[in-house]
Amino acid sequence: MVEVPAQQRSTRQRRAVSAILDDLDGFASAQQIHDKLSHRGEKVGLSTVYRNLQALVDAAQVDMIRADDGEVLYRRCNAGHHHHHLVCRSCGRTVEVSGSAIERWAEAVAAEHAFVEVEHTIEVFGTCSSCAAR
Amino acid sequence: MVEVPAQQRSTRQRRAVSAILDDLDGFASAQQIHDKLSHRGEKVGLSTVYRNLQALVDAAQVDMIRADDGEVLYRRCNAGHHHHHLVCRSCGRTVEVSGSAIERWAEAVAAEHAFVEVEHTIEVFGTCSSCAAR
DNA sequence: GACTTCTGTGAGAACGGTTGTCAAAACGAT
DNA sequence: ATCGTTTTGACAACCGTTCTCACAGAAGTC
Ligand SMILES: [Zn+2]
Ligand SMILES: [Zn+2]
Ligand SMILES: [Zn+2]
Ligand SMILES: [Zn+2]
């Protein structure tokens, strides 16, 4: 008999990556996550970290943004709805924000110039109060 | 006698890069610009293209954005004021847009969470009418 | 023009983040 | 335990970008 393809097996590595994301309160790069895993004594290959992060992004369980220098950053995303981020560029602490005003503005601007299949990228970077206190 | 340092010499390569940017109506990557130069018979080293583009960005004469795949795209920027872009993801055609509503939203959101030294990235991507007509 | 000085150039190497390869390991259903 | 399939990981390959440094060539001076 052909079994149902269990297209997501539970492995030690997958659980470890997921656990790191749970303990993280801001965005982190794949390599930073890999380092944190090593620190915990979890031996996980770098390729595996990349693969699992990508899978989580595809499953909409993780948000992905790109830092100024081009590095990709990941963060667990609980919210199921469309939102944006206010990120501390020093410690990575992040607040999820959203606003219908912006969404309407983006759509209006696109419609005004007859663009279709519209997407947008909106990220706000700053220094959080704790980091500014130094 | 020590002359005044003319911190920007006029070279064939610099003029060639600038000319390409003038003829371009959308964003293009450094390598695309390098290819266009070769096509015109202008021999300019890739490093030189990167250097001159960076110099133009520093001089606020060129806008720089990052494509989804991380590649950096450049485009001549006439406007001296803060603005954002509505970019066709297919042909690169670009409209410069701005709106005080968004600017105020970004500031309000940051202030609400006590973030300082705030910057933001807002880009709208879509398919322009000519590209959608295919 | 000739001479000098200092910036700009370019071929190639190096870099850094990310993705691909593929044999071995591990999961999970039976 | 066995088997078919997924997952892993060491390592190489990739790709855009930056660095290196000997040399070319602007521009100022006489
Ligand atoms: Zn902070
Ligand atoms: Zn939005
Ligand atoms: Zn188009
Ligand atoms: Zn703005």
Side-chain angles (χ1 to χ4, degrees):
Chain A
M1 197 83 274
V2 175
E3 76 275 23
V4 177
Q7 62 242 50
Q8 193 77 328
R9 289 183 181 177
S10 168
T11 65
R12 174 182 63 78
Q13 295 87 338
R14 237 193 296 264
R15 284 188 299 267
V17 169
S18 207
I20 289 280
L21 286 167
D22 287 335
D23 295 356
L24 219 57
D25 57 343
F27 280 92
S29 71
Q31 318 218 58
Q32 285 173 332
I33 290 169
H34 181 248
D35 288 348
K36 283 181 196 291
L37 284 167
S38 304
H39 253 230
R40 287 194 182 179
E42 290 277 9
K43 298 197 314 306
V44 181
L46 185 53
S47 309
T48 300
V49 173
Y50 274 106
R51 265 189 307 246
N52 284 327
L53 286 173
Q54 191 53 60
L56 288 165
V57 169
D58 292 345
Q61 292 181 32
V62 160
D63 281 344
M64 192 182 109
I65 62 175
R66 205 172 278 275
D68 277 3
D69 65 353
E71 206 175 10
V72 177
L73 307 179
Y74 304 86
R75 175 174 183 269
R76 169 128 273 150
C77 166
N78 308 322
H81 59 287
H82 174 82
H83 63 270
H84 300 285
H85 301 105
L86 170 60
V87 188
C88 174
R89 70 169 72 79
S90 161
C91 70
R93 197 160 74 83
T94 299
V95 182
E96 299 192 349
V97 296
S98 57
S100 59
I102 302 268
E103 303 302 325
R104 278 187 275 104
W105 174 84
E107 279 173 33
V109 141
E112 185 184 346
H113 296 92
F115 276 55
V116 294
E117 293 162 37
V118 182
E119 290 174 351
H120 59 258
T121 315
I122 301 180
E123 305 292 347
V124 185
F125 295 93
T127 306
C128 78
S129 48
S130 358
C131 288
R134 289 185 294 83
Chain B
M1 199 82 274
V2 175
E3 74 274 23
V4 177
Q7 64 242 54
Q8 194 74 326
R9 291 183 181 176
S10 167
T11 66
R12 174 183 64 79
Q13 294 87 337
R14 202 159 277 172
R15 284 187 298 268
V17 169
S18 208
I20 290 278
L21 286 167
D22 287 336
D23 296 355
L24 219 58
D25 58 343
F27 280 92
S29 71
Q31 317 217 58
Q32 285 173 333
I33 290 169
H34 181 248
D35 287 348
K36 283 181 196 291
L37 285 168
S38 305
H39 258 223
R40 287 193 181 178
E42 290 277 8
K43 297 198 314 308
V44 181
L46 185 54
S47 310
T48 300
V49 173
Y50 274 106
R51 263 190 307 248
N52 284 327
L53 286 172
Q54 191 53 60
L56 287 165
V57 169
D58 292 345
Q61 292 180 31
V62 160
D63 281 344
M64 191 183 110
I65 62 176
R66 205 172 278 274
D68 277 3
D69 65 353
E71 205 174 10
V72 177
L73 306 178
Y74 304 87
R75 175 173 183 271
R76 171 129 272 150
C77 166
N78 309 323
H81 60 288
H82 175 82
H83 62 271
H84 301 285
H85 301 104
L86 171 60
V87 188
C88 174
R89 70 169 71 79
S90 160
C91 70
R93 196 159 74 83
T94 299
V95 182
E96 298 193 350
V97 296
S98 56
S100 59
I102 320 202
E103 304 302 324
R104 279 187 273 105
W105 174 83
E107 279 174 33
V109 142
E112 185 183 346
H113 296 91
F115 276 55
V116 295
E117 294 162 36
V118 181
E119 290 174 350
H120 59 258
T121 314
I122 301 180
E123 307 291 349
V124 185
F125 295 93
T127 307
C128 78
S129 47
S130 358
C131 287
R134 288 186 293 81

